[in-house]
Amino acid sequence: MTPLDGAAAEHDPAEPPHQHSGEPHAVGSLSNRLNWLRAGVLGANDGIVSTAGIVIGVAAATTDRGPIFTAGIAGLAAGAVSMALGEYVSVSTQRDTEKALLAKESRELREQPQAEFDELVGLYEEKGLTHETACRVATELTARDAFEAHVDVELGIDPHELTKPWLAAASSAVSFLSGALLPMLAILIPPASLRIPITFAAVVAALAITGFTGARLGGSSPWRPVCRVVVGGAIAMIVTFAIGRLVGHAVG
């Protein structure tokens, strides 16, 4: 008989069990921070490319700063709001799923503690432990905190580190805005004759930096990601420049 007495006590998923000192949560926290950093880099990259495409397209049609500034601000605001809303909806859905899974696991622990214990033993056996070792590990972890033991192995969820929709939305908006400011300044500050080449060069350099940073955060070789974002951004600017020039001539 396994020592399950009191181990399947009810847990509220909204108020997860107290985190004991010494538990190895550092790796998960580091992974979450890296994910946020990568998301920030990608958001900045989107801000750079989309805003650069807008302002270069308008600058190809007119040399007046007013229309360029207006189009850039409109694109910047629309992009930031779109990024924030999209991230909020996506992360909210993920959080709802996490909470539902935690509630289901808590209910199963209350109603079927022995079956859940056997399942935990089986999961550790699948990881390569012998039956005896798996039983011992499951017994010790269950005695300590059955809920955390199960959600960690079965679901891969840390109940103390649930996703935060508002934080994700704010991070996406800020990262997009930070990236969008570069092409805005690059197109507005130089004289009319140098606006497009300076903006093109600044955007290519910024994309190379974001591509390199994203690759390093992901632990991969930076050269292919750098080439992808630089080539993609250059194509976007060339296309919008051509469309702006054609439209400008057509309506002019």
Side-chain angles (χ1 to χ4, degrees), residues 102-122:
L102 292 174
K104 178 175 181 290
E105 191 63 36
S106 179
R107 184 175 63 253
E108 289 175 347
L109 281 168
R110 293 194 307 271
E111 297 173 354
Q112 310 172 63
Q114 184 61 50
E116 286 296 298
F117 179 84
D118 294 339
E119 182 181 21
L120 187 61
V121 171

Side-chain angles (χ1 to χ4, degrees), residues 79-242:
V81 171
S82 176
M83 289 283 291
L85 288 175
E87 194 70 12
Y88 179 81
V89 170
S90 174
V91 175
S92 293
T93 301
Q94 180 181 344
R95 183 182 178 89
D96 290 343
T97 301
E98 290 173 343
K99 293 176 71 174
L101 290 172
L102 292 174
K104 178 175 181 290
E105 191 63 36
S106 179
R107 184 175 63 253
E108 289 175 347
L109 281 168
R110 293 194 307 271
E111 297 173 354
Q112 310 172 63
Q114 184 61 50
E116 286 296 298
F117 179 84
D118 294 339
E119 182 181 21
L120 187 61
V121 171
L123 290 169
Y124 279 118
E125 288 179 320
E126 290 177 5
K127 290 179 176 291
L129 299 181
T130 64
H131 179 72
E132 292 76 13
T133 303
C135 284
R136 185 164 61 252
V137 170
T139 297
E140 293 183 8
L141 291 178
T142 297
R144 185 176 189 178
D145 194 317
F147 181 72
E148 286 198 2
H150 280 266
V151 298
D152 176 45
V153 179
E154 291 185 42
L155 307 177
I157 298 175
D158 183 349
H160 309 291
E161 296 275 349
L162 295 183
T163 52
K164 300 175 177 62
W166 283 110
L167 177 60
S171 299
S172 294
V174 169
S175 63
F176 184 93
L177 289 172
S178 66
L181 287 175
L182 174 71
M184 282 288 293
L185 295 175
I187 203 75
L188 293 173
I189 294 175
S193 60
L194 297 176
R195 284 175 187 164
I196 292 176
I198 287 178
T199 302
F200 190 92
V203 167
V204 167
L207 290 176
I209 292 172
T210 59
F212 181 86
T213 303
R216 297 303 296 174
L217 289 173
S220 62
S221 173
W223 305 118
R224 286 187 178 179
V226 167
C227 288
R228 282 196 295 265
V229 296
V230 167
V231 171
I235 291 173
M237 289 186 288
I238 291 170
V239 169
T240 55
F241 173 83

